[in-house]
Each structure stands twice: as structure tokens, then as C-alpha cells.
Amino acid sequence: MHKILGCAAFLLLTLSLTQLRAQSTQEPEKDKRSFKIFQFPADKIPRIDGNTDDWAMVPDSFAVGIDQLRDDNKHFLKADPKNLDVKVKVGWVKGENRLYFLYEAYDNYWDFSLPDLHNDIFEVVVDADRSGGTFIDELHPNKDMEKWEAYFSFHGVHAQNYHIFTPAVGKDWALVWGSQPWIKKLPYANAAYNYHFKPGESGKLILEFFITPFDYAGTEGPVRAVQSNLYENKIIGMSWAVLDYDDVNDKSKQGFWNLSHQHKMYGNADYMLPFKLMPLDERYRKSIAADWSFKVVDMNRRVVAFIDESEGKVNSWHWDFGDGTSSAEQYPYHQYKNAGKYVVILDIEGSAGKSRRSKVWDVAVK
């Protein structure tokens, strides 16, 4: 009996050790949080002027506060709003490939007197097509690649990292960590500040900016660049961190407040978090409005696909293709017999009324 009990105990101990070893080799638990990006109406695009007026329409449910961040330096167990308090809202506009940011921060000690990288920083990383993987030279998967070749061909190319100085005094508003500084300039980015404090003082800072995410951004400039395509309900990868230098001589007071909770999110897009590009809020939608686009499917055969993009609840569609033919389908294909430039008209009807959208000579076939 004792031998049986001894064998059972040994077996249990072996199983327990096996489980512990398995747990120790497992990947960190996946972060299941997700966030929202507010869609601004096309007639209410935020002005980059350092004021918050344009953002009053954005509900607080879109705000990401410091309670969502943790200090990767492990100097602070939890955030103290008397020391540092931040709130971030992100927006977008349908038809643009831009991300708009409102960064509001209170700090009890603002550090921005030096001309180098030592500066309070808002670090934003974005991987808009969620291609994932590493994107800085030191993390290049091919360890045989020479350092500078990795830097110029890889660093910041498929995902981008912006070190934004808060505030920037006597220096550019941001360091783009990579070999493509052109992406921080107009028309791809812009920034404005609003604050009333000096280095070493406390106070509130408002930073307003936009950036353009890229699926490909090379050192050669915009000639070969590919902007990330932004559209409703798309999920992009993004994260940010706040680097807080409260005392240059005391590292225990320096915080690295990370939204991702994975420290190397700054160079590995796998550690970014999902952000959803939200549809337009009901408050700003038209009850009914006709709209459409088209794509020439086969120019040789003059075949065109028409895409309904109307707003509101639509019960019926009537397409006039401009050549004497029509269709009642929502998404018709049409083959033109003759080359020409056509006036195409879409009429829609629903419970809210009727609407028309014509486009003059947009549709042309040869």
C-alpha cells in the first residue's frame, strides 16, 4: 500500500513539475483590449491649432486614459494623476488616409530643455495594415544583414514610430525613428501645441497632430511610398507610450508608461493593439443621400462596375448609364457599346425620401 501511495505521489509531483515547465515556456497572455477611432464628418475636420474645440463632439468613450497604461520601468506600481495624467483621443475622416490625435497631459515636472532625445515624449507606433512583425534594425529577423543595410531598407518601412517631443522647443516636433523623416512633414503630418509652463514646472499640455500611416515608407522618399488605406470598420495596429523624465539625476522617478503592456511594442508590430475605424455617428449621418463610385472592369470590352455608396435606408435604386439604358440593381455591371464620356445618374428612394447623385463625364471608356 505504501509503495502504491509513494508511486502516486511521485506521479503527481512529476505532473506538477511538467505543468510548471510548460507554463514557464508559454507566451505572455494575449492582451484582449481593443479601442475605437472616432470618425469626423467631412465638414468638421479638426484644425491643427492646439485647441480642443474641434474635439468636443468626440464622446469620452473614445478617450484612452493613463489608467490603461503601465510603467514598464517598474518604478511606479500605478499611475498617480498628481504626478502624471494623460488622455488621448484618436480620429479619422473618411476619404483621407490620416490619423488625428488629441493628447492632453498634466505633468508635475516638464523636462524639455535639452536639444537632444532627452525630452518628455509621447511615442506613437502604428501598423495600419497589421502586417505585424519587427520593424527596427536591431530586431531584424535576418541577423546576417549588415546593420546599416537593415536600417535603410527595413527600419520604419512597413510600420512607423514617432517620438513626439512634449513640448518641442528649438527642435522638430518629432523624431521619426527610421530613415524616412519626410513622413513628419506636410502634407503627411502636422502638429501644434498649447501650454503655459517652463522647463521644470508643472502644468497642462495640449498636443494636436495628424500623421499618415504607410504600408511602405522608404528612405528614397514619397516616390515609391504606399499610404495605408483607411476605411470604415478597418482594424489597424497601434500603441503608444509616455516617457516621463521627472528628474534627470534620479532614474527612479522616470516612467515609461506603455499602452501595449509589451515593452518592445516600439519595434515589434505584433505587440500593438487593435484600433477600429468607426463609422460616422448617427448624429452626423444624412437620413438619405445618394452616392456611388465605379470601376472599369474591362476597358477593352467597355465593362464598368457601379457601386452604390448611398447613406440611409434605401428601398429602390435607378441607374441611368447615360447611353439610353438603365438598371434597378444596387450594384450593376454595364457594358457600353460605344466609346465616350457619359453622364451617369443614380436615383434612390427610401422611407426618408428621395435623393439623386449624377457625375458628369466621370465614366469614360474607349
Side-chain angles (χ1 to χ4, degrees):
M1 176 64 105
H2 292 294
K3 289 183 178 180
I4 294 174
L5 290 174
C7 289
F10 177 76
L11 181 60
L12 287 172
L13 178 61
T14 303
L15 289 171
S16 298
L17 289 172
T18 302
Q19 290 173 348
L20 285 171
R21 291 193 190 101
Q23 290 173 1
S24 66
T25 58
Q26 287 176 354
E27 291 291 326
E29 185 177 351
K30 186 173 179 60
D31 194 332
K32 297 180 180 179
R33 292 175 300 158
S34 61
F35 303 92
K36 300 184 297 182
I37 300 177
F38 180 81
Q39 183 178 154
F40 284 95
D43 61 345
K44 299 182 185 298
I45 299 174
R47 298 181 304 275
I48 305 302
D49 56 7
N51 295 317
T52 62
D53 298 354
D54 299 334
W55 294 80
M57 68 175 66
V58 183
D60 286 339
S61 60
F62 285 82
V64 181
I66 197 168
D67 60 306
Q68 295 284 345
L69 281 62
R70 74 178 185 187
D71 177 29
D72 280 0
N73 286 342
K74 296 182 172 58
H75 296 156
F76 304 93
L77 294 177
K78 64 178 182 178
D80 178 2
K82 294 181 180 179
N83 172 49
L84 177 70
D85 194 16
V86 301
K87 181 172 69 172
V88 184
K89 291 182 178 180
V90 189
W92 76 293
V93 178
K94 188 176 180 179
E96 290 187 341
N97 295 324
R98 292 177 173 181
L99 296 172
Y100 293 84
F101 291 79
L102 177 66
Y103 176 72
E104 299 178 272
Y106 168 82
D107 195 348
N108 68 340
Y109 184 99
W110 286 100
D111 192 338
F112 59 100
S113 61
L114 301 178
D116 56 15
L117 190 59
H118 180 100
N119 201 118
D120 286 341
I121 286 173
F122 180 46
E123 181 179 8
V124 177
V125 289
V126 59
D127 176 28
D129 64 354
R130 301 185 82 190
S131 53
T134 57
F135 60 95
I136 62 175
D137 54 1
E138 65 188 62
L139 298 178
H140 196 292
N142 184 355
K143 300 305 179 184
D144 295 331
M145 181 172 284
E146 193 270 330
K147 173 181 173 61
W148 289 109
E149 183 182 354
Y151 180 75
F152 285 107
S153 66
F154 176 74
H155 196 128
V157 172
H158 76 87
Q160 292 81 47
N161 180 312
Y162 299 78
H163 280 62
I164 303 169
F165 300 114
T166 53
V169 174
K171 64 179 78 168
D172 273 357
W173 71 281
L175 156 73
V176 169
W177 196 19
S179 61
Q180 50 285 100
W182 55 270
I183 69 174
K184 66 179 175 180
K185 302 176 182 178
L186 284 168
Y188 308 110
N190 196 18
Y193 299 89
N194 190 341
Y195 65 94
H196 304 283
F197 50 76
K198 296 178 181 177
E201 295 182 347
S202 63
K204 181 177 179 179
L205 174 137
I206 295 171
L207 165 65
E208 191 177 17
F209 66 97
F210 76 80
I211 58 175
T212 303
F214 288 87
D215 294 344
Y216 176 85
T219 187
E220 68 277 4
V223 62
R224 290 178 55 219
V226 179
Q227 293 185 21
S228 303
N229 186 25
L230 304 184
Y231 52 85
E232 284 186 0
N233 296 313
K234 180 177 183 177
I235 297 175
I236 68 172
M238 191 162 62
S239 188
W240 54 72
V242 179
L243 284 66
D244 184 28
Y245 292 93
D246 270 359
D247 190 330
V248 67
N249 298 314
D250 187 353
K251 290 187 176 180
S252 68
K253 294 183 179 180
Q254 297 176 10
F256 185 94
W257 296 94
N258 190 351
L259 176 64
S260 170
H261 297 183
Q262 293 287 344
H263 183 72
K264 288 193 175 181
M265 63 85 196
Y266 59 78
N268 190 331
D270 291 346
Y271 298 148
M272 296 185 195
L273 296 169
F275 280 74
K276 185 176 182 179
L277 298 167
M278 299 302 292
L280 196 63
D281 191 284
E282 290 284 354
R283 294 172 293 167
Y284 307 109
R285 293 184 191 177
K286 297 177 181 178
S287 56
I288 190 163
D291 198 7
W292 56 274
S293 62
F294 72 96
K295 182 177 180 61
V296 178
V297 178
D298 187 335
M299 183 62 80
N300 292 327
R301 297 174 55 236
R302 305 189 187 101
V303 178
V304 182
F306 292 92
I307 303 105
D308 172 46
E309 296 178 349
S310 302
E311 294 183 44
K313 188 175 181 179
V314 181
N315 297 327
S316 65
W317 297 260
H318 182 271
W319 296 85
D320 181 340
F321 298 122
D323 62 352
T325 64
S326 62
S327 173
E329 296 180 18
Q330 184 176 4
Y331 302 104
Y333 280 77
H334 181 64
Q335 183 174 15
Y336 287 91
K337 292 182 179 180
N338 301 308
K341 298 178 290 185
Y342 295 93
V343 178
V344 178
I345 305 168
L346 171 62
D347 287 293
I348 62 171
E349 186 171 353
S351 57
K354 300 178 181 180
S355 181
R356 165 178 287 185
R357 174 60 58 90
S358 69
K359 297 188 180 184
V360 180
W361 294 355
D362 279 17
V363 180
V365 290
K366 61 183 180 180

